[in-house]
Amino acid sequence: MEKIWFMFVFIYLKIEDVTCQDIPCAARQMEFGSVCVCNSTYCDTVARPPPLGRDQYYQYTTSQDSPGFTKTTGYFSNVTNGEYDNNTVLFTVNANIVHQEIIGFGGSFTDSAGIAVNSLSDEAKERLIESYFGINGVEYSAARVPIGCSDFSTHFYTYDDIPDDDQLSHFSLSSEDFKYKVTIIPLIQMAQNVSQHNLKLVGCAFTSPSWMKTNNGTPSGYILSRYFDAWARYHVKFLDAYAENGIKFWVLTGGNEVTFPFVIQAPLVVNMVAWPQDHRRWLKYYLGPQLQASNHSHIKFAFMDDMRVFAKYWMDRFALDPEVFEMVEGPALHWYWDWLTSDSLLDVIHDKFPDKHILYTESSINVILFGGQPVELGSWQRGTFYIYNIIQNINHWTNLYLDWNLALDTAGGPFQELPIDAAIIVNKTSGEFYKNPMFYALGHFSKFIPPGSKRIDVQSNQNITLDSNEQLRDKLASSRLFHNFGSLPAGQASQEGLPTAGPSALPTFPPTPEIVLPKTVICLATANSDNSSTVIVFNSKDEPVNVTVVDTVVGNISTTVAAQSINTFVYWPK
């Protein structure tokens, strides 16, 4: 019996040794900075940290000069308030003041991501999925899935492109679902198998079949009200079909950037437009009842999938009907105009609707807003945009944060509308994939803030002013089109009498200014669901900064954080 027990312990430790380990980044200098290179035989990892004694902490650092995760350990100290240097940035963490729950972090399973991932060998593909979802990866816990095509598909398609088939007798999943989308083919099974979390999936239909729309076309157009019932059944059929393949969803959003085309006065390539009054009616009388009568009654609804500047307009109008508002998880937001608007918009939403969740469902780097080239391998600056945006949004009540494509090819595609950058870029010719700084930027949050954690209070001795953001917001607010949106009639009964978006040329309001982050040091702190605590400190300055983190329970962390670096401290206060 003792021999059997010894063998069991030995095997267990061997398994732990294999599955929980830190493998360093294989750094390679690219045109814009360093990436970590992975292939069929090698890929860097970051193990889930085992608990330390109450007087110790882990520090994980990623910087412009240090790609990947660099882990060290340190000891807490006890210093009275009067002993802090005037040049030290001080963050005081108070776990007794608890804010919102963190639902999770993740990316998106687009057709283009599936094409890129499936161009790799089986071994490299496994390493990519492990990098995102595994216990040795950054442990994504949520993901977005387009319902049908998106702008990151090779062509336009829906699940029923037979005209006037309002009975949906020709509805069927497409070849893209089985060939490319990682939620259908074995990639999703790989993700589920390596994940320690129950992945929360957000489904979003970028467009309805053309025959359901007022313009009978692929670009922006309204859903005809006579097809509201068919459009609801379309969603339920999609959920049924995915469920047959073992895939269950958490939230539906009902459309992608449904308001944005009105503001730019131009249609999107794959899109439909909507106003909250009709969306509310569709949810109340069609989608809601059909979900309740199906096997998917647990699914909640998040509206818009659009810029946060529109969120209060939509929230106010959905809240007019308490019955339908009960079905709403909250607004689904995209980060693209965050750089032109104030974070206080999120505070307004939370203060007025504290029981609703704020879900960020898309973020990506495109040349229209951020300039440069579609793909900039190794760009640290692009990683810092993510770090700053995530910290600011979570510090202003955001619960969920999702990136766009999990992976793209070296041209930033395949795409229908606009190539963009991605956290992982796949080089199918060499059989490699490259982890950009954006990957590690996201990973500091997804790895060290598990689902169910709570943001806790942080106070700083800095007087932080974000004048650059205020100036950008003012430029947007002063544009003619923004004012036109703000003056839309609140009581419009039906969207079919409203003008469509485009196809006019892009508007002539002032061009987007160059996005420049303020030179500052910011912080986010969480009390985690695994009893650990996480403090993330981002230094956007071009010089090292002395930082002291004061946890009122366990003591102080005093260190110097490198220039242009993100630093995550993990410890167990209890």
Side-chain angles (χ1 to χ4, degrees):
M1 184 67 181
E2 290 180 359
K3 184 176 180 180
I4 294 174
W5 172 252
F6 173 79
M7 290 176 64
F8 171 79
V9 173
F10 176 76
I11 292 171
Y12 173 79
L13 292 174
K14 286 294 291 182
I15 291 172
E16 287 296 297
D17 182 58
V18 170
T19 60
C20 296
Q21 54 187 319
D22 289 323
I23 298 174
C25 160
R28 181 183 298 172
Q29 184 67 28
M30 298 296 199
E31 180 180 358
F32 297 95
S34 296
V35 299
C36 296
V37 182
C38 297
N39 55 35
S40 61
T41 60
Y42 189 92
C43 198
D44 60 294
T45 62
V46 54
R48 185 179 292 180
L52 291 171
R54 193 169 181 267
D55 60 340
Q56 289 182 278
Y57 61 86
Y58 294 105
Q59 179 176 350
Y60 293 85
T61 300
T62 305
S63 72
Q64 190 169 14
D65 301 320
S66 179
F69 292 104
T70 299
K71 182 176 73 172
T72 57
T73 57
Y75 286 87
F76 284 92
S77 61
N78 292 306
V79 181
T80 63
N81 287 338
E83 298 181 39
Y84 299 121
D85 188 288
N86 289 334
N87 296 321
T88 296
V89 174
L90 182 67
F91 294 110
T92 302
V93 176
N94 186 352
N96 293 320
I97 302 177
V98 179
H99 301 296
Q100 83 274 22
E101 179 179 345
I102 307 301
I103 295 172
F105 301 88
S108 300
F109 293 147
T110 63
D111 292 345
S112 296
I115 293 169
V117 173
N118 278 292
S119 69
L120 294 167
S121 68
D122 288 344
E123 294 80 8
K125 190 187 308 181
E126 290 175 2
R127 294 184 184 278
L128 190 150
I129 294 299
E130 170 69 28
S131 291
Y132 271 129
F133 297 98
I135 196 170
N136 282 334
V138 295
E139 298 198 59
Y140 275 9
S141 56
R144 186 178 182 221
V145 183
I147 299 174
C149 76
S150 73
D151 52 330
F152 280 86
S153 301
T154 58
H155 63 284
F156 179 90
Y157 69 89
T158 72
Y159 296 134
D160 192 340
D161 288 321
I162 305 301
D164 302 318
D165 182 21
D166 58 345
Q167 296 303 310
L168 302 180
S169 56
H170 297 280
F171 180 99
S172 66
L173 296 180
S174 70
S175 61
E176 279 77 8
D177 290 279
F178 294 94
K179 287 165 57 180
Y180 304 136
K181 284 190 178 172
V182 293
T183 51
I184 287 296
I185 58 176
L187 287 179
I188 185 58
Q189 303 300 334
M190 292 165 57
Q192 290 174 328
N193 288 340
V194 301
S195 176
Q196 301 291 304
H197 308 291
N198 180 20
L199 299 181
K200 287 187 176 293
L201 298 181
V202 177
C204 172
F206 277 56
T207 180
S208 70
S210 296
W211 52 268
M212 288 189 185
K213 290 157 66 172
T214 52
N215 61 356
N216 195 31
T218 61
S220 305
Y222 301 106
I223 299 285
L224 290 162
S225 58
R226 67 175 178 270
Y227 291 125
F228 277 9
D229 180 66
W231 185 225
R233 285 186 284 111
Y234 183 98
H235 281 76
V236 173
K237 281 180 172 288
F238 165 81
L239 296 171
D240 288 340
Y242 267 53
E244 289 174 3
N245 289 274
I247 310 301
K248 294 184 179 180
F249 282 76
W250 166 57
V251 160
L252 293 176
T253 67
N256 178 74
E257 296 183 358
V258 295
T259 305
F260 183 60
F262 295 107
V263 179
I264 64 170
Q265 287 294 288
L268 302 179
V269 171
V270 181
N271 179 249
M272 56 191 176
V273 289
W275 292 106
Q277 292 85 349
D278 269 288
H279 234 54
R280 188 182 68 205
R281 183 159 63 97
W282 176 65
L283 177 59
K284 180 173 183 176
Y285 295 111
Y286 300 96
L287 181 63
Q290 291 192 36
L291 286 175
Q292 288 301 311
S294 72
N295 294 322
H296 316 291
S297 57
H298 64 283
I299 289 180
K300 301 286 278 186
F301 187 80
F303 46 71
M304 281 195 354
D305 245 338
D306 211 331
M307 317 310 166
R308 72 183 181 194
V309 70
F310 311 133
K312 186 176 181 299
Y313 180 88
W314 278 72
M315 292 287 280
D316 285 343
R317 282 146 185 81
F318 261 77
L320 292 174
D321 189 329
E323 180 184 350
V324 73
F325 203 48
E326 181 66 26
M327 307 178 202
V328 172
E329 185 76 11
L333 307 180
H334 294 184
W335 83 335
Y336 303 106
W337 277 7
D338 284 11
W339 313 101
L340 306 173
T341 58
S342 172
D343 303 317
S344 63
L345 290 174
L346 301 180
D347 298 332
V348 171
I349 292 170
H350 171 77
D351 291 346
K352 190 168 184 179
F353 308 104
D355 59 331
K356 299 302 179 184
H357 290 142
I358 298 174
L359 314 177
Y360 263 78
T361 52
E362 185 178 317
S363 50
S364 68
I365 301 287
N366 63 61
V367 297
I368 292 177
L369 275 179
F370 296 90
Q373 300 179 18
V375 173
E376 294 188 353
L377 287 172
S379 171
W380 171 252
Q381 181 188 43
R382 292 184 171 184
T384 64
F385 289 143
Y386 275 85
I387 298 166
Y388 183 82
N389 188 258
I390 294 171
I391 291 177
Q392 289 297 98
N393 280 322
I394 293 181
N395 276 335
H396 291 272
W397 303 102
T398 292
N399 305 91
L400 175 82
Y401 197 98
L402 302 181
D403 192 20
W404 193 204
N405 301 275
L406 285 170
L408 291 172
D409 63 25
T410 53
F415 60 91
Q416 293 195 71
E417 191 166 24
L418 183 71
I420 64 172
D421 216 337
I424 287 181
I425 296 294
V426 173
N427 185 337
K428 68 177 182 180
T429 302
S430 64
E432 299 173 327
F433 62 91
Y434 310 124
K435 294 179 179 176
N436 267 319
M438 292 181 286
F439 174 88
Y440 299 96
L442 286 152
H444 272 267
F445 302 92
S446 60
K447 182 68 180 183
F448 304 114
I449 305 178
S453 301
K454 302 286 183 67
R455 177 172 69 91
I456 56 178
D457 194 66
V458 178
Q459 297 295 322
S460 173
N461 66 344
Q462 299 178 98
N463 182 17
I464 299 176
T465 58
L466 304 178
D467 292 339
S468 58
N469 271 16
E470 297 298 324
Q471 292 168 1
L472 294 177
R473 182 193 66 189
D474 291 343
K475 289 189 177 184
L476 175 66
S478 65
S479 76
R480 175 178 57 83
L481 291 173
F482 183 73
H483 279 301
N484 284 350
F485 172 79
S487 63
L488 288 171
Q492 178 69 42
S494 174
Q495 59 196 18
E496 289 176 33
L498 292 170
T500 57
S504 61
L506 287 172
T508 58
F509 59 85
T512 301
E514 180 184 0
I515 296 173
V516 179
L517 295 183
K519 298 298 183 182
T520 186
V521 184
I522 57 177
C523 180
L524 166 70
T526 58
N528 298 330
S529 53
D530 62 359
N531 295 320
S532 67
S533 289
T534 294
V535 177
I536 298 177
V537 176
F538 172 47
N539 177 19
S540 66
K541 295 184 177 182
D542 296 322
E543 65 273 348
V545 175
N546 294 326
V547 170
T548 293
V549 175
V550 178
D551 187 305
T552 57
V553 175
V554 292
N556 301 346
I557 298 171
S558 294
T559 187
T560 300
V561 296
Q564 292 289 331
S565 69
I566 179 172
N567 304 266
T568 297
F569 304 93
V570 183
Y571 55 94
W572 282 260
K574 297 179 180 180

